[in-house]
């Protein structure tokens, strides 16, 4: 597998720390609002990554956090805590907001066929871990205390600017809004590990610590959960490109300070989904959510298909016109697949060739568009049997997860054509005295909930009631 590594700015062969095992950390949502479809694009890319690695035979463990404290409206130390802002907006408690939007997020993932992370944990449930890490960083001279807050001293970091690939001056201009020019700090990019003062007035979730009652910074949460659940060596860390600075940059600085050695080898970042006006936002106008797309007649898996058609690293502009195009292609694809009969010979060599081609596409830095082309090539191939196509596409769909074989429509109109085709195949099998195949077709349909009834005048069928 070859992946583009933001750390080295190169496509590199993927070699996990421990052979055959992959440890992945993916930044989770800040649960102060619904996820917009831009956020969801990042989770879709991560899902393809996880499923590709599993398809290639790796044993994958993925951890994700739920940010329910400490993420400011800027991505640095300034502004309000997003959770507090959400609670104020809706007249609810922070806990109620967190619970409501966590559930909404999980529902979105389910609808998009995203595999649940193996470990999904709330940031606020692991305060003791952050405290332990901060204590060590203070002891080792990586952090300092100023006016009741604890800051990380970036001058002590090994290569603070490597991930972003930018110099301090460039970053200062690029992220003016995200970084506070806090007078407590030695360097403007030093960042908060623990706060007891600055934004304390508004902070509802707070805990006791050796430095007084307060709350953790956003960045330490991800380092804390990653090190706690995945150990000292992380293989892959993912997020959207906006996470590169300051969030992931700070995660590297503090994790390596805490561990005393390099931490994560591969950093993967998904390009943004933008709307026509530019950046997708939760604060201006109508939020583009998955439910909104559904209301407008676009099922979640159509959005998944839309995303898989472009490379995860490219930015992508959303429009209803392009989603409409994706919907019609997706519907057509499913109709073609539903006409395939699963019965018959499987051509093992052809099967293996296509599996290899599919693996190769995804191993090339997750080229999902190429993987989809291979799926279409399979459908078009006149030299392979329906059964081979059927099995291949079933396999592909373990990664693509486009629900190509599950359909509400399978119970009604689309299914009619499929059943009739199967009845005709069975008739031909009988005519050729191939009773084994005829029985196999009958049994296959039975498994799918359809009972064939042989009459004097031909064959009819009924649906088996549950
Ligand atoms: P948040 O809930 O803001 O912490 O973000 C959750 C995930 O969505 C992070 O991995 C972000 O990098 C990612 N993200 C934010 N905006 C976009 C966007 N417009 N397109 C794609 N990913 C995004
Ligand atoms: Zn994170």
């Amino acid at each position: 597998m070859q992946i583009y590594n933001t750390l080295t700015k190169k496509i590199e062969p993927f070699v996990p720390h421990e052979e055959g095992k992959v440890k992945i950390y993916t930044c989770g949502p800040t649960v102060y609002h619904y996820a917009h479809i831009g956020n969801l694009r990042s989770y879709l890319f991560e899902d393809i990554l996880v499923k590709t690695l599993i398809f290639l035979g790796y044993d994958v463990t993925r951890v994700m956090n739920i940010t329910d404290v400490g993420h400011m409206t800027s991505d640095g130390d300034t502004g309000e805590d997003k959770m507090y802002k959400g609670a104020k907006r809706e007249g609810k408690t922070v806990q109620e907001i967190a619970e409501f939007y966590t559930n909404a997020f999980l529902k979105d993932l389910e609808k998009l066929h995203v595999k649940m992370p193996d470990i999904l944990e709330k940031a606020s449930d692991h305060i003791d871990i952050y405290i332990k890490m901060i204590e060590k960083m203070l002891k080792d001279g990586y952090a300092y205390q100023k006016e009741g807050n604890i800051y990380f001293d970036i001058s002590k970091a090994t290569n603070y600017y490597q991930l972003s690939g930018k110099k301090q001056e460039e970053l200062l201009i690029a992220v003016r809004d995200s970084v506070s020019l806090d007078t407590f700090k030695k360097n403007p990019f030093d960042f908060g590990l623990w706060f007891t003062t600055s934004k304390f007035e508004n902070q509802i979730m707070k805990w006791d610590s050796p430095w007084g009652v307060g709350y953790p910074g956003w960045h330490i949460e991800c380092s804390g959960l990653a090190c706690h659940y995945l150990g000292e060596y992380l293989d892959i860390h993912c997020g959207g490109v906006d996470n590169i600075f300051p969030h992931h940059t700070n995660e590297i600085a503090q994790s390596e300070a805490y561990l005393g050695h390099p931490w994560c080898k591969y950093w993967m970042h998904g390009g943004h989904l933008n709307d026509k006006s530019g950046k997708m936002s939760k604060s201006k106008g109508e939020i583009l959510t998955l439910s909104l797309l559904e209301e407008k007649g676009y099922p979640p898996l159509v959005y998944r298909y839309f995303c898989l058609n472009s490379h995860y690293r490219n930015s992508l502009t959303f429009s209803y016109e392009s989603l409409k195009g994706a919907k019609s292609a997706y519907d057509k694809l499913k109709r073609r697949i539903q006409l395939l009969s699963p019965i018959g010979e499987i051509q093992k060599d052809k099967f293996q060739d296509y599996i290899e081609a599919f693996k190769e596409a995804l191993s090339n830095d997750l080229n999902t568009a190429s993987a989809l082309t291979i799926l279409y090539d399979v459908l078009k191939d006149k030299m392979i049997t329906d059964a081979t196509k059927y099995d291949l596409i079933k396999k592909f769909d373990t990664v693509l997860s486009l629900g190509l074989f599950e359909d509400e429509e399978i119970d009604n109109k689309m299914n009619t054509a499929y059943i009739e085709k199967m009845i005709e195949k069975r008739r031909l099998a009988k005519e050729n005295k191939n009773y084994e195949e005829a029985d196999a077709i009958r049994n296959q349909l039975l498994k799918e909930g359809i009972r064939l009834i042989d009459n004097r005048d031909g064959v009819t069928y009924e649906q088996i009631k549950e």
Side-chain angles (χ1 to χ4, degrees):
M1 170 121 182
Q2 303 275 325
I3 54 183
Y4 180 84
N5 187 354
T6 312
L7 201 60
T8 56
K9 321 278 176 286
K10 282 200 286 258
I11 302 242
E12 295 179 345
F14 173 67
V15 186
H17 185 74
E18 202 179 326
E19 202 184 329
K21 293 200 168 146
V22 187
K23 294 176 176 180
I24 303 185
Y25 186 85
T26 54
C27 290
T30 308
V31 283
Y32 71 112
H33 217 318
Y34 291 109
H36 59 51
I37 57 172
N39 301 130
L40 296 174
R41 184 184 182 211
S42 286
Y43 303 117
L44 284 173
F45 124 65
E46 293 161 358
D47 186 52
I48 290 287
L49 171 67
V50 166
K51 287 174 178 164
T52 296
L53 289 164
I54 294 173
F55 198 80
L56 295 176
Y58 288 103
D59 174 5
V60 181
T61 310
R62 175 187 184 186
V63 175
M64 187 194 263
N65 66 306
I66 298 282
T67 300
D68 56 357
V69 64
H71 190 176
M72 299 298 148
T73 44
S74 77
D75 278 346
D77 297 338
T78 51
E80 266 180 301
D81 186 310
K82 288 187 176 188
M83 294 305 295
Y84 175 71
K85 196 177 163 191
K88 213 165 52 172
R89 182 186 66 233
E90 299 186 19
K92 295 192 179 134
T93 65
V94 165
Q95 285 81 357
E96 282 167 342
I97 289 283
E99 194 183 331
F100 180 84
Y101 288 113
T102 301
N103 288 336
F105 169 71
L106 296 179
K107 262 190 223 132
D108 281 351
L109 292 194
E110 198 182 326
K111 285 183 189 167
L112 287 168
H113 287 191
V114 169
K115 185 180 180 302
M116 277 302 133
D118 303 285
I119 297 167
L120 180 71
E121 288 287 339
K122 285 200 281 187
S124 62
D125 281 347
H126 298 78
I127 302 296
D128 52 334
I129 291 170
Y130 320 138
I131 291 178
K132 190 179 87 188
M133 288 176 86
I134 298 167
E135 278 181 317
K136 181 158 193 294
M137 285 188 268
L138 274 167
K139 187 167 93 25
D140 296 345
Y142 288 101
Y144 58 93
Q145 186 165 7
K146 204 77 192 275
E147 305 292 328
N149 297 334
I150 312 294
Y151 295 101
F152 186 90
D153 181 350
I154 66 150
S155 70
K156 302 279 164 55
T158 324
N159 196 351
Y160 188 70
Y161 299 98
Q162 186 184 0
L163 188 71
S164 66
K166 295 211 165 78
K167 297 196 188 82
Q168 175 164 8
E169 309 77 67
E170 290 172 297
L171 277 174
L172 265 176
I173 298 163
V175 293
R176 206 168 314 165
D177 298 338
S178 308
V179 175
S180 64
L181 294 173
D182 193 325
T183 47
F184 301 162
K185 297 179 181 180
K186 294 191 202 164
N187 178 306
F189 286 153
D190 287 353
F191 56 92
L193 295 166
W194 187 268
F195 295 102
T196 62
T197 49
S198 56
K199 265 82 52 187
F200 194 60
E201 293 309 309
N202 291 342
Q203 193 59 32
I204 290 161
M205 291 173 103
K206 45 196 172 191
W207 296 265
D208 203 5
S209 82
W211 320 285
V213 174
Y215 61 98
W218 173 40
H219 318 300
I220 191 71
E221 297 170 5
C222 285
S223 290
L225 291 184
C227 293
H228 180 69
Y229 289 105
L230 294 170
E232 290 196 19
Y233 295 94
L234 186 61
D235 294 305
I236 309 178
H237 195 310
C238 303
V241 278
D242 58 300
N243 282 163
I244 295 174
F245 189 86
H247 186 48
H248 290 169
T249 298
N250 292 349
E251 274 191 53
I252 295 174
Q254 65 203 356
S255 298
E256 297 194 347
Y258 172 69
L259 296 167
H261 58 68
W263 173 49
C264 175
K265 197 162 163 199
Y266 301 92
W267 288 81
M268 295 178 77
H269 292 97
H272 269 189
L273 180 82
N274 303 313
D275 56 23
K276 279 190 194 131
S277 69
K279 201 169 177 278
M280 195 139 303
S281 163
K282 292 185 191 179
S283 50
K284 57 177 190 206
E286 189 181 53
I287 303 176
L288 275 171
T289 58
L290 203 60
S291 314
L292 183 71
L293 297 191
E294 282 183 281
E295 275 168 35
K296 292 191 191 271
Y298 298 102
L301 294 180
V302 165
Y303 179 62
R304 185 172 175 114
Y305 180 82
F306 169 79
C307 290
L308 297 195
N309 270 286
S310 58
H311 194 263
Y312 79 90
R313 274 197 288 129
N314 294 339
S315 56
L316 179 62
T317 303
F318 175 80
S319 73
Y320 282 108
E321 292 91 270
S322 39
L323 192 62
K324 198 168 158 197
K327 181 171 188 317
S328 110
Y330 175 77
D331 288 346
K332 207 163 134 203
L333 174 64
K334 277 185 87 164
R335 279 199 294 274
R336 284 174 75 181
I337 291 169
Q338 275 156 19
L339 291 175
L340 295 175
S341 159
I343 309 299
E345 187 211 346
I346 309 281
Q347 295 146 293
K348 289 211 175 73
D349 290 351
K350 296 270 185 197
F351 180 89
Q352 209 44 46
D353 289 349
Y354 273 116
I355 290 288
E356 288 311 317
F358 185 73
K359 278 186 184 170
E360 205 179 305
L362 291 170
S363 298
N364 178 15
D365 195 28
L366 304 180
N367 195 335
T368 47
S370 286
L372 283 172
T373 305
I374 290 159
L375 190 158
Y376 281 102
D377 288 346
V378 166
L379 278 172
K380 273 190 291 194
D381 192 336
K382 295 208 170 67
M383 306 303 286
I384 56 174
T385 61
D386 262 22
T388 311
K389 293 182 185 186
Y390 188 96
D391 276 19
L392 273 169
I393 297 172
K394 267 236 136 118
K395 268 278 198 203
F396 294 172
D397 210 32
T398 60
V399 178
L400 302 174
S401 304
L402 288 166
L404 297 172
F405 292 88
E406 55 181 72
D407 203 329
E408 315 76 65
E409 288 177 331
I410 206 138
D411 292 334
N412 47 58
K413 61 182 191 300
M414 279 320 302
N415 207 21
T416 316
Y418 166 70
I419 298 167
E420 276 164 9
K421 197 173 157 197
M422 295 290 269
I423 291 175
E424 179 57 15
K425 264 196 110 175
R426 179 166 168 263
R427 190 188 66 74
L428 286 173
K430 277 188 172 173
E431 208 172 272
N432 295 324
K433 304 208 174 355
N434 189 350
Y435 298 110
E436 218 173 288
E437 183 177 342
D439 282 349
I441 293 172
R442 160 189 283 281
N443 291 337
Q444 174 68 30
L445 284 171
L446 262 180
K447 262 201 277 173
E448 291 167 1
I450 305 294
R451 180 181 294 116
L452 297 184
I453 307 158
D454 291 306
N455 302 307
R456 245 185 312 158
D457 311 327
V459 182
T460 54
Y461 60 88
E462 65 180 9
Q463 224 168 331
I464 303 165
K465 304 256 170 351
E466 296 259 309

